Every structure is written in C-alpha cells, then in structure tokens.
Amino acid sequence: MSQAVQSAAVQNGIGHDLHRFIDTLYPICRSITGDGLRETLRIIRTHIPLSLNEVPTGTRVFDWTVPNEWNIRDAYVKNSRGERVIDFQTSNLHVVNYSVPVRRRMRLADLKPHLFALPDRPDWIPYRTSYYQESWGFCVAQRQLELLPDEEYEVVIDSTLQPGHLTYGEYFLPGDLPDEIVVSTHCCHPSLCNDNLTGIAIATFLGRFLSAQSHRYSYRFLFIPGTIGAIAWLALNQEKASRIRHGLVLTGLGDSGKLCYKRSRQGNAEIDRAAAHVLQSGFYEHQLMDFSPYGYDERQFCSPGINLAFGRLSRTPHGTFPEYHTSADNLDFVHPEKLSESFDACVRILGLVERNETFLSLNQKCEPQLGKRGLYGTIGGAAGARDRELAMLWVLNFSDGAHSLLDIAERSKMSFDCIRSAAEALRASGLLRECLELTSDMRVASLERTTS
Ligand SMILES: [Zn+2]
C-alpha cells in the first residue's frame, strides 16, 4: 500500500459514501442478538463477503453464557384516547433494549418506575439496555414525560426473549503471511451513529479497500456484539487468535473531536508505535491515551490471559460528550470530512505496519560507497537530498536484522516514509535484503555471522 493509493480513496469523497452507508443502517433496531443484528450484517455483506456465524443460546464462553435471543416487532404506550404517546415506530431508542414482553393497563404512577429520561437534556431520548437482568422499560424525552397526565395507559412491548443465537460477522482476507491483523467493531447498538455505526462503516470500507491492494498480512474483520461477542469469539476461536499479531478496535470515528488512539495493554506494541508515528506525523489533531480496563472490546482482547496487541482508534472518547448514548448521537452528529479523516488514519496506520519490514545490510563492515552507486544527491532539491542521504545512513547502520524500519524511524526521528524509501533505494542497489520472519534465535545467529 503506497501513500498515493491511500490518499486516492479519501480524495474520491469516501466520507460521503461512509455517511450514506451509516444512513442506510441507522433505522435498524440492533441488539447483542436478534434479527436487527443479522439484517445489519447482511447489509455489510453487500460490500464485503462476510460470513455470518451463529452461537447458540446457553453456550459457555469463558465466564459468560450466551443469552437468550431478543427480537422486537412493536412497542407503545397508549393514552385513554388510544393515541400512542410513546411509540417504538418513531424511534427504537424508546424501548429499553432487551425488554421482556409486556401487555398491561396501568396508571401513570405504576408506569413511572419503567420510564427513563434525561432531565438535563430534556429533548433527548436516552439509550438503555438490560441484557442480563430480565426487566422492561421505555426511554423518553423529559419534555414528553412531563406532558403525560395521570390516567390509565395501555402498555405493550411486543418482543420475544427465548433460546436462539448470538450472531457475528467475520471477513477473512488472506495475505502473503499467515500472521493476522484484526479489525474489530461492535455492532449491537440501535439508532446511534457515532457509537457503533461509524466503526461498522469504516471497518466495512477498509475491508473492501484492502481487498483491492496487495498486502503482506492476512486480515480478519470482526463485526461483533459488544462484550459478549468479543468474549464468544475469543473463547471459540483460540487457534485463530494465536495468529493475531496486531489489532485495532474501531468506534466513535465521526464526531468533530480530534483523533484519539488508546494504546494496547502491552503499551509499546508495534501497532501502538505505528499509530503514534502516524498521528504525530503532522496530518492530524490527535491525542494518545494509555490503556485502561474500561472502554470497548479492547478490554477483552487485552485481558491478561489473552493480552493481544489491540489498540483502539476513535475520536472523542465515549462518555466524554453529552450526546453519547442518547438520540442526539444521530446522523447530524457525524460528519463526512471527519469520517474521511478517520478512514485515512486507519489506512496509514495499517499501511505503516504493512511496510514495517526488517532488513539486513549486505555491507556491514564500514559504510558502502554510495556515490559510485548513484545514491548520493540523485533526487529532489538540496534539503530533500540531504534527508535522503541521512536516511540511507540510518538504514544501513541499523539494518542488522534486529531493527525494523519503524525502530530506525523512531531512533533517527525521521519520518517512516523517508526511512522506507531510503530502504527501497538501498535494496534496489543490492545493499540490503529483507529479513523474513526471523525468530530471535535466527536473529542472534545472523548477528554473530555478520559481526564475526
Ligand atoms: Zn455504546
């Protein structure tokens, strides 16, 4: 993947395509199980050849059990005149996600403990769930709640909660290496855009984009319900998990805040350093965060017994913007230009990991004579040529089989792209060769050979 290819997707207005895709998925009532989740995965499948996997209710996955499947057709609260004063058909956020079926008449006082609103944000509907405790409820705007007179209401939640399956989607894209990069996103929230749909859209378009590029790594894209989906996938796919070298959790990528990368539990993994290098390249307003055991599915991928190198890319971290988990996280809250920038950052981070190879200098005793090979001052103006020569000296000195190009970029404080293009020029001149998949034992042996 070259930088030119990366910016082409962004220049072609991918932000608007991403926003249109989010618009298509927005009305669907998703949950951690059920037909809304399946429908979402089937729509993703129109872009990438996703496999849909079904895990039966009751399956033990580590310390958890796959719950009953939830489906909903309709829900409402009708007043004495038969008017729907709360109506699932106008917003799926009106029903507490995973509500058990209800069909009752009751006074306002009995209904009120089942009504949830946000007094500080009187026009917004909150998003609530009750996955692991059987209950029911409605979420309403505070202003709507205040208008309800004390009378008898007809309360209906036409849902089912019974044995079925948990569904997740997986798209595997084989590369030259069996080693995998995993891109994971949760897809269990109903009509919420930034939290949920931006991650789904960018992961889908990344999958399609990478399928048209050559790539060293194999890629696995996971579209999973939050928490239980990640736990189920890890419990049921331990052999696949053993091939994961790098992982990225994507979520919250369309709001107007700056990009935010949260490091893996390992803290200094290659993906962490690649993300930091890209975000610090001067293209992006950004922040870097250390790992904490709170957040999205990085919690599971980075649990101590799994400890994979998974970072998380988002914009404003969840829970720190008022629209989070409310009806205000809508289509207007996510912006095509921010989606485009987030997509670009993903492509650059993955592109850096792809191109972060380790080379071996074939001329380790003193510097090779670059002038006679035409490698001095061949390209660009004076300043560009100086950087290029400096980059070649760094690459030659540290290409001992133990330092990757990112190691060299960090140590020289030069850009990865500059180091990478110096390495390519040196390789073309026969001064460098790739060190493919050296184990640490082989690295020691190679060092001993070249220094003896
Ligand atoms: Zn959420």
Side-chain angles (χ1 to χ4, degrees):
M1 285 189 291
S2 71
Q3 292 294 333
V5 172
Q6 291 171 19
S7 49
V10 170
Q11 280 160 13
N12 287 339
I14 198 164
H16 289 281
D17 294 343
L18 288 162
H19 200 275
R20 265 193 295 277
F21 189 48
I22 289 169
D23 188 83
T24 305
L25 297 174
Y26 182 62
I28 301 170
C29 184
R30 278 163 291 272
S31 184
I32 56 170
T33 63
D35 290 334
L37 174 58
R38 285 189 193 94
E39 187 186 349
T40 299
L41 297 173
R42 284 191 199 109
I43 293 171
I44 296 169
R45 199 160 61 182
T46 63
H47 292 268
I48 50 176
L50 200 67
S51 71
L52 267 59
N53 303 272
E54 303 276 358
V55 185
T57 296
T59 305
R60 286 299 302 267
V61 287
F62 297 129
D63 196 42
W64 295 59
T65 305
V66 172
N68 279 332
E69 180 177 325
W70 185 69
N71 283 291
I72 183 160
R73 280 172 294 271
D74 196 8
Y76 55 82
V77 174
K78 274 186 185 170
N79 64 16
S80 57
R81 291 189 301 280
E83 298 160 340
R84 289 189 178 212
V85 290
I86 305 173
D87 186 1
F88 173 77
Q89 302 301 336
T90 64
S91 170
N92 55 43
L93 296 178
H94 276 314
V95 171
V96 172
N97 204 282
Y98 252 69
S99 284
V100 295
V102 176
R103 203 171 281 273
R104 277 155 62 176
R105 302 187 74 85
M106 59 177 76
R107 304 289 306 184
L108 184 63
D110 298 323
L111 178 58
K112 268 206 165 153
H114 295 279
L115 299 181
F116 304 98
L118 298 168
D120 295 344
R121 304 281 174 180
D123 295 313
W124 297 355
I125 307 165
Y127 162 56
R128 277 195 169 231
T129 66
S130 186
Y131 301 139
Y132 301 105
Q133 193 178 3
E134 288 204 357
S135 74
W136 63 272
F138 287 88
C139 300
V140 288
Q142 179 70 22
R143 275 192 223 291
Q144 197 180 0
L145 180 62
E146 284 164 7
L147 292 175
L148 296 179
D150 182 18
E151 57 178 352
E152 193 178 68
Y153 291 92
E154 182 191 350
V155 178
V156 171
I157 297 181
D158 183 8
S159 65
T160 53
L161 184 61
Q162 53 201 31
H165 294 84
L166 173 148
T167 316
Y168 67 86
E170 190 168 338
Y171 171 42
F172 180 66
L173 189 57
D176 300 335
L177 300 172
D179 306 58
E180 294 186 10
I181 296 179
V182 167
V183 174
S184 174
T185 188
H186 66 291
C187 49
C188 50
H189 291 24
S191 292
L192 296 168
C193 282
N194 201 39
D195 181 10
N196 192 53
L197 294 180
T198 59
I200 295 175
I202 289 188
T204 303
F205 279 52
L206 263 181
R208 196 175 63 177
F209 172 81
L210 288 170
S211 70
Q213 314 288 326
S214 62
H215 44 89
R216 282 196 303 147
Y217 282 101
S218 296
Y219 286 82
R220 194 176 296 279
F221 290 82
L222 298 179
F223 297 84
I224 50 182
T227 309
I228 185 69
I231 293 169
W233 190 86
L234 284 163
L236 301 172
N237 294 281
Q238 295 190 53
E239 198 228 315
K240 287 178 188 170
S242 70
R243 293 193 292 273
I244 299 173
R245 297 292 166 266
H246 320 281
L248 208 47
V249 169
L250 298 181
T251 182
L253 290 162
D255 66 88
S256 57
K258 57 190 174 189
L259 282 162
C260 175
Y261 178 78
K262 177 182 168 182
R263 295 184 186 92
S264 73
R265 180 175 182 270
Q266 298 175 22
N268 201 30
E270 192 176 333
I271 187 80
D272 299 327
R273 293 165 50 208
H277 194 89
V278 166
L279 292 185
Q280 290 167 342
S281 63
F283 289 109
Y284 311 104
E285 267 201 280
H286 69 277
Q287 62 169 320
L288 298 170
M289 275 170 69
D290 280 330
F291 178 76
S292 63
Y294 178 66
Y296 290 91
D297 286 330
E298 69 276 12
R299 291 154 60 166
Q300 315 310 331
F301 294 114
C302 294
S303 56
I306 307 284
N307 206 20
L308 288 165
F310 264 72
R312 185 189 81 201
L313 191 70
S314 63
R315 302 189 74 92
T316 310
H318 64 96
T320 65
F321 52 95
E323 294 84 355
Y324 173 72
H325 279 189
T326 77
S327 56
D329 180 1
N330 59 23
L331 289 164
D332 295 330
F333 187 64
V334 296
H335 310 285
E337 69 276 13
K338 299 299 178 185
L339 292 164
S340 172
E341 186 189 60
S342 300
F343 180 85
D344 184 59
C346 290
V347 171
R348 286 180 195 272
I349 292 167
L350 297 175
L352 196 158
V353 175
E354 277 286 335
R355 294 177 298 135
N356 183 29
E357 291 174 276
T358 299
F359 289 93
L360 192 64
S361 166
L362 300 173
N363 192 106
Q364 302 230 358
K365 294 198 172 160
C366 298
E367 292 174 4
Q369 195 183 345
L370 298 178
K372 76 178 182 189
R373 295 179 171 86
L375 291 170
Y376 262 135
T378 47
I379 285 191
R386 220 174 18 250
D387 275 357
R388 188 178 157 83
E389 287 160 17
L390 197 55
M392 283 193 282
L393 296 178
W394 277 101
V395 171
L396 283 168
N397 192 292
F398 282 92
S399 288
D400 51 9
H403 294 89
S404 71
L405 295 181
L406 181 56
D407 292 331
I408 301 171
E410 286 175 343
R411 186 140 176 177
S412 66
K413 299 191 170 56
M414 301 186 80
S415 80
F416 179 86
D417 290 334
C418 184
I419 292 294
R420 172 80 203 186
S421 75
E424 281 169 9
L426 292 166
R427 178 171 53 183
S429 299
L431 290 169
L432 219 55
R433 71 165 168 81
E434 284 116 321
C435 273
L436 287 172
E437 295 307 293
L438 288 185
T439 64
S440 49
D441 288 353
M442 288 162 72
R443 261 181 205 151
V444 171
S446 126
L447 279 172
E448 282 166 355
R449 258 199 321 280
T450 52
T451 52
S452 60

